[in-house]
Amino acid sequence: MPIEGFDYKAFAKSLSEQVGPALPPDIADADKQYIINIVFNFCYMAGEALANDTTLNFNAEQASIVTQFIGEWAFHKSIDIIRSNIDPQFRDGILQKIAFTIFEIAKTAIIKNMTQGDMIAVVEHHVKKAYTEALDELKSKGILNEEQVNEALSHSNIDEMAKAQAQVQMQEQNPADTPASNDSNAYIQQSNDSKILKLATFAIVLKHLPPDKRQGLLNKFSPQDAAILADYASMDDLENKLDKGLVAKCLNEIKKNLPEPRKINKGRIYDRIYKIVKNSNISKISNMMIRERIFVKEFVSSAGKQTKKVNIPARIADIICNHIEEKLSR
């Protein structure tokens, strides 16, 4: 049964029509048409497969997310491959491997109810992995050498576009709306786009903190960076002035660089999971555990009996507790 409200043919056409104006000027006309065709074909096939899969029960929005991921990455990696001067006869094979990977990973991410930021991050991780594996496979067959593989891996159109977009967004801010001093503006000009975007993203976090905690964090930055953070944190509607996809990507990078807590008390974690299981609907927890891995099921099961026999790292146990609490609160 078709997905209500999901016209995959029209959606594939719409996505492919957006490709032309966004293509870089250094791409030859024949290659531009190739990219437009690839985006249309991959999105059409992905949309058709989703629409015909009766086991997924996706709605129109979820099907569109998977299809759009494929279209966007087909666009970016096509450009990377073309700029790498890889022989045209091998382009389709590389892109098909990437598209199939996205199709499976994005579906799984939706089924697991991942947040938008996590979904973007996990898809990007697996795209890079699939791209590297495809290049290594060509290298193992003697089609590419080490230098050519490194050249192909050095190109990243999505990062180039992100930097360009961040720069445009920052420059388009009305000076009257941006309380930055002349010194701050000069410092911004000397900083790279990626750093400024990260500062602006971190300022979104600062806006939601109590004044004392906000100032405590600002004190840990250099005076120049602290001034920029304070400026952006005081800006009205900052969240809507930055691209949400770029913000999600920056938040994930910031998260990766945060120091891990020094120690988690394992005994307290077991007490915590015991209380969660004891005070919750057993049927609901059982349904949650159906798709989970064996060690997670064993951990939750042992908690219900107030035993401490399942040996897993405290950090993992803490994550599981957080995950279950979040699910139960919905």
Side-chain angles (χ1 to χ4, degrees), residues 107-151:
K107 285 194 302 180
T108 302
I110 289 173
I111 291 170
K112 290 186 175 181
N113 294 316
M114 283 190 179
T115 64
Q116 182 187 33
D118 287 342
M119 199 181 303
I120 290 171
V122 75
V123 168
E124 181 173 5
H125 169 77
H126 283 280
V127 165
K128 291 179 178 178
K129 182 180 178 182
Y131 185 49
T132 302
E133 288 175 352
L135 294 173
D136 286 340
E137 186 177 340
L138 292 176
K139 178 186 170 185
S140 68
K141 294 178 180 178
I143 296 169
L144 298 178
N145 57 36
E146 185 74 26
E147 185 178 349
Q148 289 171 311
V149 170
N150 291 335
E151 169 69 15

Side-chain angles (χ1 to χ4, degrees), residues 90-225:
F90 302 114
R91 293 175 183 173
D92 285 4
I94 298 173
L95 293 171
Q96 285 168 4
K97 183 179 181 69
I98 292 171
F100 178 78
T101 298
I102 297 170
F103 187 72
E104 295 301 323
I105 295 300
K107 285 194 302 180
T108 302
I110 289 173
I111 291 170
K112 290 186 175 181
N113 294 316
M114 283 190 179
T115 64
Q116 182 187 33
D118 287 342
M119 199 181 303
I120 290 171
V122 75
V123 168
E124 181 173 5
H125 169 77
H126 283 280
V127 165
K128 291 179 178 178
K129 182 180 178 182
Y131 185 49
T132 302
E133 288 175 352
L135 294 173
D136 286 340
E137 186 177 340
L138 292 176
K139 178 186 170 185
S140 68
K141 294 178 180 178
I143 296 169
L144 298 178
N145 57 36
E146 185 74 26
E147 185 178 349
Q148 289 171 311
V149 170
N150 291 335
E151 169 69 15
L153 292 174
S154 71
H155 292 285
S156 179
N157 186 67
I158 190 171
D159 288 337
E160 291 179 18
M161 286 190 67
K163 289 180 181 179
Q165 188 174 4
Q167 187 175 25
V168 169
Q169 286 178 328
M170 296 305 171
Q171 290 175 347
E172 283 181 350
Q173 301 299 330
N174 189 322
D177 295 333
T178 307
S181 65
N182 290 334
D183 289 341
S184 293
N185 284 329
Y187 181 72
I188 289 175
Q189 293 297 323
Q190 296 170 5
S191 302
N192 62 55
D193 300 328
S194 177
K195 179 178 180 179
I196 296 301
L197 180 59
K198 287 179 181 177
L199 288 172
T201 300
F202 192 67
I204 295 175
V205 179
L206 287 180
K207 290 181 68 172
H208 299 283
L209 294 178
D212 56 335
K213 289 188 177 181
R214 183 188 306 179
Q215 189 57 51
L217 286 172
L218 286 173
N219 291 340
K220 297 181 183 296
F221 288 83
S222 69
Q224 296 93 337
D225 287 347

Side-chain angles (χ1 to χ4, degrees), residues 59-114:
N59 58 34
E61 181 183 3
Q62 292 169 324
S64 297
I65 289 172
V66 176
T67 307
Q68 187 161 353
F69 267 129
I70 290 174
E72 289 178 352
W73 279 107
F75 169 80
H76 290 301
K77 299 317 290 182
S78 292
I79 293 173
D80 292 345
I81 290 169
I82 289 168
R83 284 175 170 166
S84 302
N85 295 316
I86 292 176
D87 194 306
Q89 65 178 306
F90 302 114
R91 293 175 183 173
D92 285 4
I94 298 173
L95 293 171
Q96 285 168 4
K97 183 179 181 69
I98 292 171
F100 178 78
T101 298
I102 297 170
F103 187 72
E104 295 301 323
I105 295 300
K107 285 194 302 180
T108 302
I110 289 173
I111 291 170
K112 290 186 175 181
N113 294 316
M114 283 190 179

